[in-house]
Structure formats: structure tokens, C-alpha cells
């Protein structure tokens, strides 16, 4: 894969990710856009942590998360003044469900992403409700290569 993640880190510099109090940074985008790879790099770069929301799916075939666990992790890290990154395909909806808004929103789009998405109907409705790309502080457009 070819993407300069450090360019995105530079774009986030003005948002005081390393400052206190900690920042909640959400990474949104469609399936296979590179959210997790981006999040892993950014969490490492900013000496922070990443919540990979897919790890908290209930396993019922829906985009349905164990919200109590996500809330506990976010609250614990922010309480200690540590920034936390969270990535997911419906991250704004997830955060709304636990009573949180991100301090910073990154939207990742893959220019050569195949248009197939098993959650297309869910994501189209989500995008109409939350407009994550328009709401983003930073939009990352890139082409991945294998």
C-alpha cells in the first residue's frame, strides 16, 4: 500500500492531539478505505491509542456495537488526559449513541475503491443523516496499491 500517513499527521498538528486535555479523534470512511491502517499510524504517531470499532461488533451481521465497552474505554482515556482515536464505518452514529462528539473528524476515501460494499444501504442512510465527509476537519483522498 502506498500512502504517506505522515502527511495526514501534519494536517492534524493544529488540533493539539498531544495536548491536555485529551482529544477524541474519529476516523470515518467506507469499507476498505484505509481507516484502520490510518488510525494505527496516527495513534502511534501521536503516542495515543486506537479503538478499532470492528472489534466491538456484536456479531449479529449488523453494524451494531457493544457501546458500553466503547464508552468505558473512551471515558477512561480522556479522564486521564490522553487522546484517543476511534475508527469505524458509522463512527459518528456510534459516538452519538454514547453521548460523545469527536473533537476532530478525519474522513478517509479510497479513490480506487471498488464500489461493492455489503453495507451500502446502511452506509448511504448513515451518510445522509451525518454527512461525515462534509463535517470532517481533514479529508484524506488516496489511491491504495497492493
Amino acid at each position: 500500500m502506498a500512502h504517506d500517513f505522515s502527511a495526514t499527521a501534519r494536517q492534524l498538528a493544529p488540533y493539539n492531539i498531544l495536548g491536555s486535555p485529551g482529544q477524541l479523534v474519529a476516523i470515518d470512511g467506507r469499507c476498505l478505505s484505509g481507516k484502520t491502517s490510518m488510525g494505527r499510524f496516527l495513534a502511534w504517531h501521536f503516542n495515543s491509542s486506537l479503538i478499532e470499532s470492528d472489534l466491538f461488533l456484536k456479531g449479529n451481521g449488523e453494524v451494531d456495537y457493544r457501546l458500553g465497552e466503547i464508552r468505558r474505554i473512551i471515558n477512561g482515556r480522556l479522564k486521564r488526559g490522553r487522546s484517543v482515536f476511534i475508527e469505524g464505518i458509522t463512527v459518528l452514529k456510534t459516538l452519538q449513541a454514547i453521548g460523545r462528539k469527536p473533537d476532530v473528524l478525519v474522513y478517509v476515501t479510497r479513490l480506487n475503491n471498488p464500489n461493492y460494499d455489503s453495507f451500502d444501504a446502511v452506509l448511504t442512510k448513515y451518510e445522509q443523516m451525518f454527512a461525515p465527509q462534509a463535517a470532517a476537519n481533514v479529508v484524506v483522498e488516496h489511491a491504495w496499491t497492493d
Side-chain angles (χ1 to χ4, degrees), residues 86-120:
I86 180 170
E87 62 81 26
I89 59 173
T90 59
V91 72
L92 295 177
K93 181 179 177 183
T94 301
L95 291 174
Q96 181 183 66
I98 63 169
R100 288 276 184 186
K101 288 185 177 181
D103 296 299
V104 181
L105 175 61
V106 177
Y107 188 85
V108 183
T109 181
R110 180 177 167 180
L111 299 174
N112 59 340
N113 195 0
N115 289 328
Y116 171 76
D117 194 329
S118 60
F119 294 110
D120 190 57

Short mmCIF file of all heavy atoms in Angstrom, two decimals, residues 86-120:
data_model
loop_
_atom_site.label_atom_id
_atom_site.label_comp_id
_atom_site.label_asym_id
_atom_site.label_seq_id
_atom_site.Cartn_x
_atom_site.Cartn_y
_atom_site.Cartn_z
N ILE A 86 -10.73 6.72 17.36
CA ILE A 86 -11.70 5.65 17.13
C ILE A 86 -12.03 5.67 15.64
O ILE A 86 -12.23 6.73 15.05
CB ILE A 86 -12.98 5.81 17.99
CG1 ILE A 86 -13.96 4.67 17.68
CG2 ILE A 86 -13.61 7.18 17.84
CD1 ILE A 86 -15.15 4.57 18.63
N GLU A 87 -12.02 4.49 15.04
CA GLU A 87 -12.34 4.40 13.61
C GLU A 87 -13.50 3.45 13.39
O GLU A 87 -13.70 2.51 14.16
CB GLU A 87 -11.12 3.98 12.81
CG GLU A 87 -10.55 2.61 13.13
CD GLU A 87 -11.28 1.45 12.48
OE1 GLU A 87 -11.91 1.62 11.42
OE2 GLU A 87 -11.23 0.35 13.03
N GLY A 88 -14.28 3.75 12.36
CA GLY A 88 -15.39 2.87 12.03
C GLY A 88 -16.24 3.43 10.91
O GLY A 88 -16.21 4.63 10.64
N ILE A 89 -17.03 2.56 10.30
CA ILE A 89 -17.85 2.97 9.16
C ILE A 89 -19.03 3.84 9.55
O ILE A 89 -19.55 4.57 8.73
CB ILE A 89 -18.32 1.77 8.31
CG1 ILE A 89 -19.13 0.79 9.14
CG2 ILE A 89 -17.15 1.11 7.61
CD1 ILE A 89 -19.77 -0.32 8.33
N THR A 90 -19.46 3.77 10.79
CA THR A 90 -20.56 4.63 11.26
C THR A 90 -20.14 5.29 12.57
O THR A 90 -20.90 5.36 13.52
CB THR A 90 -21.86 3.82 11.45
OG1 THR A 90 -21.63 2.79 12.41
CG2 THR A 90 -22.37 3.23 10.15
N VAL A 91 -18.93 5.81 12.60
CA VAL A 91 -18.34 6.27 13.85
C VAL A 91 -19.12 7.44 14.47
O VAL A 91 -19.24 7.52 15.69
CB VAL A 91 -16.84 6.58 13.68
CG1 VAL A 91 -16.62 7.85 12.86
CG2 VAL A 91 -16.15 6.65 15.01
N LEU A 92 -19.65 8.34 13.67
CA LEU A 92 -20.41 9.46 14.25
C LEU A 92 -21.69 8.98 14.92
O LEU A 92 -22.06 9.47 15.98
CB LEU A 92 -20.71 10.51 13.18
CG LEU A 92 -19.49 11.22 12.59
CD1 LEU A 92 -19.91 12.19 11.50
CD2 LEU A 92 -18.70 11.93 13.68
N LYS A 93 -22.35 8.01 14.31
CA LYS A 93 -23.56 7.43 14.90
C LYS A 93 -23.20 6.69 16.19
O LYS A 93 -23.92 6.79 17.20
CB LYS A 93 -24.21 6.47 13.91
CG LYS A 93 -25.48 5.83 14.41
CD LYS A 93 -26.08 4.92 13.35
CE LYS A 93 -27.31 4.22 13.88
NZ LYS A 93 -27.86 3.29 12.89
N THR A 94 -22.09 5.98 16.19
CA THR A 94 -21.64 5.26 17.38
C THR A 94 -21.35 6.23 18.51
O THR A 94 -21.78 6.02 19.65
CB THR A 94 -20.38 4.42 17.05
OG1 THR A 94 -20.71 3.50 16.00
CG2 THR A 94 -19.87 3.67 18.26
N LEU A 95 -20.63 7.30 18.20
CA LEU A 95 -20.31 8.29 19.23
C LEU A 95 -21.57 8.99 19.74
O LEU A 95 -21.71 9.24 20.95
CB LEU A 95 -19.30 9.30 18.71
CG LEU A 95 -17.90 8.74 18.46
CD1 LEU A 95 -17.01 9.79 17.80
CD2 LEU A 95 -17.28 8.22 19.76
N GLN A 96 -22.49 9.30 18.84
CA GLN A 96 -23.76 9.91 19.26
C GLN A 96 -24.49 9.01 20.24
O GLN A 96 -25.05 9.47 21.24
CB GLN A 96 -24.63 10.21 18.04
CG GLN A 96 -25.95 10.88 18.40
CD GLN A 96 -26.81 11.09 17.17
OE1 GLN A 96 -27.26 10.13 16.55
NE2 GLN A 96 -27.02 12.35 16.81
N ALA A 97 -24.47 7.70 19.99
CA ALA A 97 -25.17 6.74 20.85
C ALA A 97 -24.59 6.69 22.26
O ALA A 97 -25.29 6.30 23.20
CB ALA A 97 -25.15 5.35 20.21
N ILE A 98 -23.32 7.08 22.42
CA ILE A 98 -22.72 7.09 23.76
C ILE A 98 -22.58 8.51 24.30
O ILE A 98 -21.92 8.74 25.31
CB ILE A 98 -21.36 6.35 23.81
CG1 ILE A 98 -20.31 7.04 22.93
CG2 ILE A 98 -21.53 4.89 23.41
CD1 ILE A 98 -18.90 6.51 23.14
N GLY A 99 -23.22 9.47 23.63
CA GLY A 99 -23.24 10.84 24.12
C GLY A 99 -21.94 11.61 23.91
O GLY A 99 -21.62 12.51 24.70
N ARG A 100 -21.21 11.29 22.88
CA ARG A 100 -19.94 11.96 22.60
C ARG A 100 -19.94 12.56 21.19
O ARG A 100 -20.59 12.05 20.29
CB ARG A 100 -18.77 10.97 22.67
CG ARG A 100 -18.42 10.51 24.04
CD ARG A 100 -17.53 11.51 24.68
NE ARG A 100 -17.08 11.04 25.98
CZ ARG A 100 -16.38 11.79 26.78
NH1 ARG A 100 -16.03 13.00 26.44
NH2 ARG A 100 -16.01 11.33 27.95
N LYS A 101 -19.18 13.63 21.03
CA LYS A 101 -18.89 14.20 19.72
C LYS A 101 -17.38 14.22 19.59
O LYS A 101 -16.68 14.51 20.56
CB LYS A 101 -19.42 15.63 19.62
CG LYS A 101 -20.91 15.73 19.53
CD LYS A 101 -21.33 17.16 19.30
CE LYS A 101 -22.84 17.22 19.14
NZ LYS A 101 -23.30 18.59 18.88
N PRO A 102 -16.88 13.95 18.40
CA PRO A 102 -15.42 14.00 18.24
C PRO A 102 -14.92 15.44 18.29
O PRO A 102 -15.61 16.36 17.86
CB PRO A 102 -15.19 13.38 16.86
CG PRO A 102 -16.45 13.66 16.12
CD PRO A 102 -17.56 13.60 17.15
N ASP A 103 -13.72 15.60 18.83
CA ASP A 103 -13.07 16.91 18.78
C ASP A 103 -12.53 17.16 17.38
O ASP A 103 -12.45 18.30 16.93
CB ASP A 103 -11.92 16.97 19.80
CG ASP A 103 -12.45 16.83 21.22
OD1 ASP A 103 -13.24 17.70 21.63
OD2 ASP A 103 -12.08 15.85 21.90
N VAL A 104 -12.14 16.07 16.72
CA VAL A 104 -11.60 16.14 15.36
C VAL A 104 -12.15 14.96 14.58
O VAL A 104 -12.23 13.85 15.10
CB VAL A 104 -10.05 16.07 15.37
CG1 VAL A 104 -9.49 16.16 13.95
CG2 VAL A 104 -9.45 17.14 16.27
N LEU A 105 -12.54 15.21 13.33
CA LEU A 105 -13.05 14.15 12.46
C LEU A 105 -12.19 14.08 11.21
O LEU A 105 -11.98 15.08 10.52
CB LEU A 105 -14.51 14.42 12.07
CG LEU A 105 -15.14 13.45 11.07
CD1 LEU A 105 -15.17 12.02 11.61
CD2 LEU A 105 -16.56 13.91 10.71
N VAL A 106 -11.70 12.87 10.92
CA VAL A 106 -10.94 12.59 9.71
C VAL A 106 -11.80 11.69 8.84
O VAL A 106 -12.34 10.70 9.33
CB VAL A 106 -9.60 11.87 10.03
CG1 VAL A 106 -8.86 11.51 8.74
CG2 VAL A 106 -8.73 12.72 10.95
N TYR A 107 -11.96 12.05 7.58
CA TYR A 107 -12.70 11.20 6.65
C TYR A 107 -11.73 10.66 5.62
O TYR A 107 -10.99 11.42 4.99
CB TYR A 107 -13.83 11.99 5.95
CG TYR A 107 -14.72 11.08 5.14
CD1 TYR A 107 -15.78 10.42 5.74
CD2 TYR A 107 -14.48 10.86 3.80
CE1 TYR A 107 -16.60 9.56 5.01
CE2 TYR A 107 -15.28 10.01 3.06
CZ TYR A 107 -16.34 9.37 3.67
OH TYR A 107 -17.13 8.52 2.95
N VAL A 108 -11.72 9.35 5.45
CA VAL A 108 -10.80 8.68 4.54
C VAL A 108 -11.59 8.13 3.36
O VAL A 108 -12.59 7.43 3.54
CB VAL A 108 -10.05 7.52 5.25
CG1 VAL A 108 -9.04 6.88 4.31
CG2 VAL A 108 -9.38 8.01 6.52
N THR A 109 -11.14 8.46 2.16
CA THR A 109 -11.78 7.93 0.97
C THR A 109 -10.72 7.33 0.06
O THR A 109 -9.64 7.90 -0.10
CB THR A 109 -12.61 9.01 0.24
OG1 THR A 109 -13.22 8.42 -0.90
CG2 THR A 109 -11.79 10.19 -0.19
N ARG A 110 -11.01 6.20 -0.48
CA ARG A 110 -10.10 5.49 -1.37
C ARG A 110 -10.58 5.70 -2.79
O ARG A 110 -11.66 5.24 -3.17
CB ARG A 110 -10.09 4.00 -1.01
CG ARG A 110 -9.19 3.17 -1.87
CD ARG A 110 -9.18 1.74 -1.39
NE ARG A 110 -8.56 0.88 -2.38
CZ ARG A 110 -8.42 -0.41 -2.22
NH1 ARG A 110 -8.86 -1.01 -1.13
NH2 ARG A 110 -7.86 -1.13 -3.16
N LEU A 111 -9.78 6.38 -3.58
CA LEU A 111 -10.17 6.73 -4.94
C LEU A 111 -10.39 5.53 -5.84
O LEU A 111 -11.25 5.56 -6.71
CB LEU A 111 -9.13 7.68 -5.56
CG LEU A 111 -8.94 9.00 -4.81
CD1 LEU A 111 -7.80 9.79 -5.42
CD2 LEU A 111 -10.23 9.80 -4.80
N ASN A 112 -9.64 4.47 -5.63
CA ASN A 112 -9.79 3.29 -6.48
C ASN A 112 -10.50 2.16 -5.74
O ASN A 112 -10.31 0.99 -6.03
CB ASN A 112 -8.43 2.82 -7.01
CG ASN A 112 -7.44 2.49 -5.89
OD1 ASN A 112 -7.61 2.94 -4.76
ND2 ASN A 112 -6.42 1.72 -6.21
N ASN A 113 -11.34 2.52 -4.78
CA ASN A 113 -12.08 1.53 -4.02
C ASN A 113 -13.18 0.92 -4.90
O ASN A 113 -13.94 1.66 -5.52
CB ASN A 113 -12.72 2.18 -2.79
CG ASN A 113 -13.20 1.18 -1.75
OD1 ASN A 113 -13.07 -0.02 -1.93
ND2 ASN A 113 -13.75 1.69 -0.69
N PRO A 114 -13.26 -0.40 -4.96
CA PRO A 114 -14.36 -0.99 -5.72
C PRO A 114 -15.68 -0.55 -5.10
O PRO A 114 -15.78 -0.36 -3.89
CB PRO A 114 -14.15 -2.50 -5.55
CG PRO A 114 -13.18 -2.66 -4.44
CD PRO A 114 -12.42 -1.38 -4.30
N ASN A 115 -16.68 -0.33 -5.91
CA ASN A 115 -17.95 0.20 -5.42
C ASN A 115 -18.80 -0.83 -4.70
O ASN A 115 -19.89 -0.53 -4.25
CB ASN A 115 -18.74 0.81 -6.58
CG ASN A 115 -18.11 2.10 -7.04
OD1 ASN A 115 -17.52 2.84 -6.25
ND2 ASN A 115 -18.21 2.37 -8.33
N TYR A 116 -18.32 -2.06 -4.58
CA TYR A 116 -19.08 -3.07 -3.86
C TYR A 116 -18.92 -2.86 -2.37
O TYR A 116 -17.81 -2.70 -1.87
CB TYR A 116 -18.62 -4.48 -4.22
CG TYR A 116 -19.24 -5.52 -3.33
CD1 TYR A 116 -20.56 -5.89 -3.51
CD2 TYR A 116 -18.54 -6.07 -2.27
CE1 TYR A 116 -21.16 -6.82 -2.69
CE2 TYR A 116 -19.12 -7.00 -1.44
CZ TYR A 116 -20.43 -7.37 -1.64
OH TYR A 116 -21.02 -8.27 -0.81
N ASP A 117 -20.01 -2.85 -1.66
CA ASP A 117 -19.98 -2.71 -0.22
C ASP A 117 -21.22 -3.42 0.32
O ASP A 117 -22.33 -3.05 -0.01
CB ASP A 117 -20.00 -1.23 0.19
CG ASP A 117 -19.64 -1.03 1.63
OD1 ASP A 117 -19.93 -1.92 2.45
OD2 ASP A 117 -19.07 0.02 1.95
N SER A 118 -21.01 -4.43 1.15
CA SER A 118 -22.14 -5.20 1.66
C SER A 118 -23.04 -4.37 2.57
O SER A 118 -24.17 -4.73 2.81
CB SER A 118 -21.63 -6.44 2.40
OG SER A 118 -20.81 -6.07 3.48
N PHE A 119 -22.52 -3.25 3.06
CA PHE A 119 -23.31 -2.37 3.92
C PHE A 119 -23.77 -1.11 3.19
O PHE A 119 -24.05 -0.09 3.81
CB PHE A 119 -22.50 -1.96 5.16
CG PHE A 119 -22.17 -3.11 6.08
CD1 PHE A 119 -20.87 -3.57 6.18
CD2 PHE A 119 -23.16 -3.71 6.83
CE1 PHE A 119 -20.56 -4.62 7.03
CE2 PHE A 119 -22.87 -4.77 7.67
CZ PHE A 119 -21.57 -5.22 7.77
N ASP A 120 -23.84 -1.17 1.86
CA ASP A 120 -24.12 0.02 1.08
C ASP A 120 -25.41 0.73 1.51
O ASP A 120 -25.42 1.95 1.68
CB ASP A 120 -24.18 -0.31 -0.41
CG ASP A 120 -24.23 0.93 -1.26
OD1 ASP A 120 -23.31 1.77 -1.14
OD2 ASP A 120 -25.19 1.10 -2.04
#
